[in-house]
Amino acid sequence: MIDKIKSLVEDIKQSQTDSAEKLEQFRLKYLSKKGEISQLFDSFRTVAAEEKKVLGAEINKLKQLAQQKFDEAKENLENAAASNDAHDLTRPGEPYEVGSRHPISLTKNEIIDIFNRIGFTVSEGPEVEDDWHVFSSLNFPPEHPARDMQDTFFIEKDPDILLRTHTSSVQSRVMEKTQPPIRSLFPGRVFRNEAISARAHCIFHQVEGLYVAENVSFADLKQTLLYFAKEMFGAETKIRLRPSYFPFTEPSAEMDVSCTICGGKGCNICKGTGWLEILGCGMVDPNVLKNNGIDPEKYTGFAFGMGVERIAMLKYQVRDLRLYFENDVRFLKQFKSAY
Ligand code: PHE
């Protein structure tokens, strides 16, 4: 029996295992249930007790040798297969995903484009502001509720440093360093201390518009906004202005557009009224011009401010504002447009 084991050791060492077929033959010959090594174990049972110790150890060594050779050869074959793959230049490439712009950016860009066409430029201002630019220069009385901690995020008190609650602060920044004519748009992020819900968020985006020159009238405001509404929501769109109040405009108004879903008949989006509110506007208050170094006897102007999330909701029929901030690509990649 010991001779048999020795010749098997030699055979195993000599065996070719450099292909999948040869390796399988090797396995069948030595390691399978009916293979040489199993047979050895079978005949081992009949061996005399005093020989068992030596022979047993030899058979086990033999088995280990065969198993080791098999494992190594298998691993080599697998590695070779993997590295062949890596160099297969004919394999199709990994497809790569093309990103898309965020719906808020698309909407903002579209608003800017519409006003660019009638001569509005774009300016920006800081998000962290002082009291003067957000409130005082814009004619907010000292006791106005917007100055309350409840509505505004303060960074420092006395003197007050805060996150701007509206882009109207940029009106002030632009007027204090530019003499009319001014015809500009101020897009940006704004911050309000509000509970987050489907309709409200503590961070959102506005686009502000300002036109200051000689003889700017309310009719100019109305015509400009009608043009915007038709470009943004379609040629059929109607507008209406409702009297309102802002400290920095006089007179002030809120503008509604005819419902983009039902066209004015009444539906659950417009709550049966046929109208949707989209922005605040008015004639720049003479006090605001004066506060910012512009002569109110010579110049008049109009201003308006709209929420970008709101416009995007109406345009794309998004029902929950929070979707804009969750960054779920299944939501985000639905928006394709020229902007
Ligand atoms: N700043 C106002 C708001 O945030 C909107 C507005 C802008 C109103 C300009 C009138 C003129 O609600």
Side-chain angles (χ1 to χ4, degrees):
M1 186 173 231
I2 195 78
D3 292 341
K4 171 85 179 158
I5 295 173
K6 279 190 181 139
S7 84
L8 280 174
V9 167
E10 283 314 304
D11 287 353
I12 287 172
K13 283 186 181 160
Q14 310 284 306
S15 300
Q16 299 271 332
T17 52
D18 53 1
S19 76
E21 297 82 57
K22 285 181 192 162
L23 185 62
E24 178 60 7
Q25 277 163 21
F26 178 87
R27 190 187 68 81
L28 290 170
K29 183 157 184 215
Y30 299 107
L31 292 166
S32 67
K33 277 216 177 84
K34 295 200 173 112
E36 299 273 10
I37 295 175
S38 287
Q39 283 173 31
L40 267 184
F41 276 109
D42 286 342
S43 32
F44 177 70
R45 281 197 226 115
T46 60
V47 164
E50 61 273 21
E51 286 180 61
K52 269 202 166 139
K53 198 170 171 201
V54 181
L55 279 177
E58 289 302 316
I59 298 177
N60 275 329
K61 257 193 246 161
L62 177 72
K63 189 177 173 193
Q64 267 167 25
L65 177 75
Q67 189 66 48
Q68 200 182 346
K69 178 153 177 143
F70 176 81
D71 290 345
E72 275 169 16
K74 192 170 170 208
E75 198 180 315
N76 285 343
L77 283 174
E78 280 168 1
N79 286 346
S83 63
N84 276 345
D85 269 9
H87 291 106
D88 180 358
L89 299 180
T90 64
R91 282 178 69 198
E94 292 279 317
Y96 61 56
E97 294 249 345
V98 179
S100 56
R101 280 194 205 281
H102 194 284
I104 296 301
S105 299
L106 293 174
T107 308
K108 182 189 78 181
N109 293 347
E110 186 168 358
I111 296 168
I112 291 172
D113 190 64
I114 291 170
F115 283 102
N116 269 346
R117 281 181 245 144
I118 54 170
F120 280 74
T121 57
V122 174
S123 308
E124 283 181 12
E127 294 176 349
V128 178
E129 265 292 10
D130 50 25
D131 175 276
W132 172 254
H133 292 96
V134 179
F135 298 128
S136 297
S137 70
L138 296 172
N139 209 31
F140 277 78
E143 71 284 1
H144 193 281
R147 292 169 173 244
D148 203 308
M149 297 287 259
Q150 239 117 57
D151 299 294
T152 303
F153 290 114
F154 286 90
I155 289 172
E156 273 169 38
K157 279 296 227 177
D158 298 324
D160 291 354
I161 304 293
L162 43 99
L163 298 179
R164 65 181 180 195
T165 55
H166 55 186
T167 43
S168 303
S169 55
V170 193
Q171 285 192 35
S172 168
R173 292 242 166 229
V174 168
M175 283 191 275
E176 72 188 5
K177 59 176 202 295
T178 330
Q179 280 299 308
I182 297 168
R183 190 160 46 186
S184 200
L185 232 43
F186 319 129
R189 271 201 305 185
V190 300
F191 308 84
R192 287 184 199 175
N193 194 359
E194 302 219 25
I196 296 169
S197 73
R199 312 185 125 254
H201 209 286
C202 55
I203 302 175
F204 56 101
H205 299 76
Q206 288 187 330
V207 175
E208 187 94 3
L210 177 70
Y211 181 26
V212 183
E214 285 179 51
N215 301 317
V216 176
S217 71
F218 201 91
D220 296 324
L221 169 63
K222 208 172 155 182
Q223 198 58 38
T224 303
L225 293 178
L226 176 63
Y227 156 77
F228 166 72
K230 285 176 182 284
E231 291 294 309
M232 192 76 200
F233 298 110
E236 306 303 305
T237 312
K238 296 186 187 58
I239 63 167
R240 76 175 181 189
L241 292 166
R242 283 177 291 102
S244 184
Y245 173 77
F246 299 101
F248 38 94
T249 46
E250 181 59 34
S252 304
E254 267 160 340
M255 186 176 97
D256 299 341
V257 290
S258 52
C259 179
T260 52
I261 312 296
C262 65
K265 287 188 212 72
C267 68
N268 66 338
I269 299 293
C270 60
K271 302 211 190 72
T273 64
W275 295 99
L276 298 161
E277 185 194 321
I278 63 160
L279 56 80
C281 60
M283 300 307 291
V284 180
D285 192 301
N287 281 337
V288 174
L289 294 175
K290 212 181 333 161
N291 286 343
N292 290 295
I294 292 175
D295 181 359
E297 300 296 331
K298 190 167 178 207
Y299 298 109
T300 51
F302 67 69
F304 55 86
M306 63 186 96
V308 183
E309 278 78 0
R310 171 118 182 112
I311 306 269
M313 274 176 123
L314 299 176
K315 186 151 175 104
Y316 297 116
Q317 300 178 28
V318 175
R319 279 157 197 268
D320 192 324
L321 202 86
R322 288 168 291 198
L323 289 165
Y324 292 130
F325 302 99
E326 283 167 0
N327 281 336
D328 184 333
V329 287
R330 290 168 302 179
F331 171 75
L332 294 177
K333 74 182 177 192
Q334 296 175 53
F335 301 91
K336 301 258 165 3
S337 99
Y339 298 94

